Amino acid sequence: MKLSHVVASLPFLILFAFQPAAATGPDQTALAQSISTFIEGVRTSDLAKVKSTTVQGYRAGDQPKYAILSRLGQVTDVDLGDARRFSKQTIVDAEVRHANGASSWTFSIQAGSRILAAEMTSASVYGARAPATSTKTTTGGFARYHHRRYSGGQRRPVVLSCESSPSSCNQDARLVEFFYATDRNIKITNNVSTLDTNAPRSGILTYGVAGVRIPEDHEPGKIELPSEWHFLSFDYKAATDETKHFSIKRLAATSYDDWKDLVKRQADQSENRALVFVHGFNTGFEDALYRNAQIVWDLQYQGVSVLFSWSSKGKVRDYGYDQDSADIAQAEFVELLTKLHESGIEHIDIIAHSMGNRVVLPALDQLATGSSPVRVRQLVMAAPDVARDKFMIQLPLAQKIVAGSTLYASSADKALIASAELADFPRAGMVSASGPVLLPNLDTIDVTAIGDEILGLNHTVFATNRAVMDDLKLLLINGMKLPRLAQVRKFPEPPQPSTYWKYR
């Protein structure tokens, strides 16, 4: 996800001389943690985190958003520098390391470790290209942004616009950029995709890049789109407002060679890891783009993001067609994983939703029986629309190249219930009267308690519920094992032996 390099600044005026003071012992540890949490709150627009680290009366709305933080990524370490006392405040400098760079800050601290004011004074993004300007220098392969310093104790912010370096930033902090691979027979012109309705399945993998803007009022788990009405012979769709709705800003097909080069460049900046999302039944190409962007944004994922979009017709009545399309796409998914590995990706995480598991599991089985070195770090199977007995045969074989496996299942998923009736056999994503699927080295989580409203025909509980997204974030970003959330507990409860996990 490439985000803008614009650095704004809240004036942080120091009017008096300071006496040196040192933060020692536990206070220093608490302060470093407070600063880390604060910066993460600003980076992810998490008001709760900001409030938890600041003094009463702190005006979070006045804090600059610092768009460059999204590109810098998650905070990994905080190194406290000089501390100066002034009246009831302590002024502290901090050097902060991020997943994709570093930043420097000055903080005003009260009450031990509470933040009164904060200002970013510089930022460094690994791999960025710097234009020729007096306010931006390049050292050791990364771009450095900084403020000019003036005499008189004051500093004026220097704001760098992306217009000065369009190749190294995307001008919009809310633009999620990712890669796609698809076997749909589509043509893309002026950021608009057109499907060949006469031959919608091409059987050939094609590649491209996409950029989806996330609206300012986005709520985690949701895809905010314009209102759309269909009544009798009348169709109505409201105009897209990018401040309120998801909007596709960039969409372009590329050659495989160009795609591979772009993937390799981003992989070099993101620990050679990738998250591959495989959508489910009843999902058109644009819908898949929106869902992938929502997942990447809500997870704040900083690695290589890849959407694998197989040829679903995007209509409820075409269930049989989608089944055939999923089966056809298995070979293309093998090809994608192989080429990601060839592009330098060493750690692959996969989220497979619904019928997308019908694509993923046989593909992994094929890779597991071959000599391919492709390996998967985490395989997340959300409401898999796969026959239960078939799933129990396929997953153990796939696990030969999978380090961790997680299954989200439910007894209230209407789409899976309908699928079971059509196929006359229970699905792996269902929780039957005897319980969900249980296999060795598989973390099974029953999400029935979340309710059937969001588990309904949209069939997207894993992405539309905040708790499930929080659980996914802890798994994929933090690498945490169960239990990760307080509302997810072992079942049955002690003293009975527990066999799986359940949302409460």
Side-chain angles (χ1 to χ4, degrees), residues 421-479:
E421 292 177 353
L422 287 171
D424 196 26
F425 202 86
R427 318 315 283 168
M430 298 175 65
V431 179
S432 64
S434 60
V437 170
L438 301 177
L439 287 171
N441 304 314
L442 172 65
D443 288 332
T444 299
I445 306 175
D446 180 355
V447 297
T448 302
I450 291 173
D452 64 351
E453 184 106 2
I454 49 178
L455 288 171
L457 294 177
N458 286 333
H459 197 38
T460 52
V461 60
F462 81 100
T464 58
N465 183 270
R466 177 67 179 266
V468 176
M469 289 304 291
D470 285 345
D471 189 63
L472 272 176
K473 187 171 185 178
L474 291 172
L475 171 63
L476 298 177
I477 308 301
N478 298 76

Side-chain angles (χ1 to χ4, degrees), residues 344-367:
I345 299 296
E346 298 175 359
H347 309 287
I348 298 176
D349 294 323
I350 299 173
I351 298 177
H353 177 228
S354 172
M355 201 179 284
N357 287 273
R358 193 175 176 119
V359 177
V360 171
L361 286 171
L364 295 180
D365 288 355
Q366 180 179 334
L367 289 169

Side-chain angles (χ1 to χ4, degrees), residues 244-297:
K244 298 178 181 179
H245 307 131
F246 276 63
S247 53
I248 297 173
K249 306 297 288 185
R250 299 179 183 174
L251 187 60
T254 68
S255 67
Y256 168 66
D257 289 340
D258 288 343
W259 190 89
K260 179 181 178 181
D261 182 57
L262 290 169
V263 168
K264 181 171 176 53
R265 289 186 190 182
Q266 188 172 357
D268 291 342
Q269 300 174 34
S270 55
E271 301 177 346
N272 294 318
R273 58 179 179 152
L275 175 63
V276 181
F277 171 55
V278 185
H279 61 76
F281 160 65
N282 185 25
T283 305
F285 184 57
E286 288 193 3
D287 294 331
L289 295 173
Y290 292 140
R291 182 60 71 190
N292 189 76
Q294 175 250 311
I295 291 171
V296 172
W297 179 269

Side-chain angles (χ1 to χ4, degrees), residues 40 53 74 139 202 253 277 448 483 495:
E40 280 297 286
T53 58
Q74 187 173 13
T139 306
S202 70
F277 171 55
T448 302

Side-chain angles (χ1 to χ4, degrees), residues 156-190:
R156 299 179 186 174
V158 175
V159 180
L160 289 174
S161 170
C162 282
E163 279 79 1
S164 64
S165 181
S167 64
S168 63
C169 58
N170 62 32
Q171 304 184 48
D172 192 338
R174 303 190 71 84
L175 186 68
V176 178
E177 292 188 310
F178 54 91
F179 301 89
Y180 74 79
T182 184
D183 67 349
R184 297 177 190 263
N185 199 354
I186 56 174
K187 180 181 293 185
I188 297 173
T189 306
N190 297 328

Side-chain angles (χ1 to χ4, degrees), residues 171-437:
Q171 304 184 48
D172 192 338
R174 303 190 71 84
L175 186 68
V176 178
E177 292 188 310
F178 54 91
F179 301 89
Y180 74 79
T182 184
D183 67 349
R184 297 177 190 263
N185 199 354
I186 56 174
K187 180 181 293 185
I188 297 173
T189 306
N190 297 328
N191 295 328
V192 176
S193 62
T194 304
L195 179 69
D196 185 342
T197 54
N198 293 321
R201 290 190 295 235
S202 70
I204 300 173
L205 202 58
T206 57
Y207 303 87
V209 293
V212 176
R213 190 182 191 281
I214 311 298
E216 274 73 6
D217 295 332
H218 167 66
E219 296 182 27
K222 293 186 177 181
I223 297 178
E224 294 87 356
L225 294 174
S227 299
E228 190 170 349
W229 299 88
H230 304 281
F231 182 70
L232 298 178
S233 60
F234 299 98
D235 293 332
Y236 169 78
K237 184 176 182 180
T240 299
D241 181 345
E242 68 177 30
T243 65
K244 298 178 181 179
H245 307 131
F246 276 63
S247 53
I248 297 173
K249 306 297 288 185
R250 299 179 183 174
L251 187 60
T254 68
S255 67
Y256 168 66
D257 289 340
D258 288 343
W259 190 89
K260 179 181 178 181
D261 182 57
L262 290 169
V263 168
K264 181 171 176 53
R265 289 186 190 182
Q266 188 172 357
D268 291 342
Q269 300 174 34
S270 55
E271 301 177 346
N272 294 318
R273 58 179 179 152
L275 175 63
V276 181
F277 171 55
V278 185
H279 61 76
F281 160 65
N282 185 25
T283 305
F285 184 57
E286 288 193 3
D287 294 331
L289 295 173
Y290 292 140
R291 182 60 71 190
N292 189 76
Q294 175 250 311
I295 291 171
V296 172
W297 179 269
D298 289 350
L299 293 179
Q300 287 295 295
Y301 185 77
Q302 298 296 322
V304 177
S305 169
V306 182
L307 164 67
F308 180 76
S309 185
W310 52 278
S311 300
S312 165
K313 264 196 174 181
K315 296 178 180 178
V316 174
R317 65 175 180 268
D318 291 315
Y319 184 85
Y321 181 93
D322 277 13
Q323 280 187 317
D324 291 340
S325 294
D327 292 341
I328 292 170
Q330 293 165 12
E332 280 72 51
F333 192 67
V334 169
E335 179 183 344
L336 172 64
L337 294 187
T338 302
K339 290 188 173 180
L340 281 175
H341 181 78
E342 292 172 352
S343 301
I345 299 296
E346 298 175 359
H347 309 287
I348 298 176
D349 294 323
I350 299 173
I351 298 177
H353 177 228
S354 172
M355 201 179 284
N357 287 273
R358 193 175 176 119
V359 177
V360 171
L361 286 171
L364 295 180
D365 288 355
Q366 180 179 334
L367 289 169
T369 57
S371 58
S372 171
V374 174
R375 299 197 64 82
V376 176
R377 189 180 66 166
Q378 292 292 338
L379 171 61
V380 177
M381 296 160 287
D385 187 359
V386 178
R388 188 182 178 111
D389 57 349
K390 189 175 183 179
F391 179 91
M392 296 180 74
I393 294 171
Q394 290 179 327
L395 182 61
L397 181 56
Q399 286 177 322
K400 292 181 179 181
I401 58 170
V402 174
S405 312
T406 301
L407 167 65
Y408 290 103
S410 171
S411 62
D413 192 309
K414 295 177 182 177
L416 284 182
I417 293 171
S419 174
E421 292 177 353
L422 287 171
D424 196 26
F425 202 86
R427 318 315 283 168
M430 298 175 65
V431 179
S432 64
S434 60
V437 170

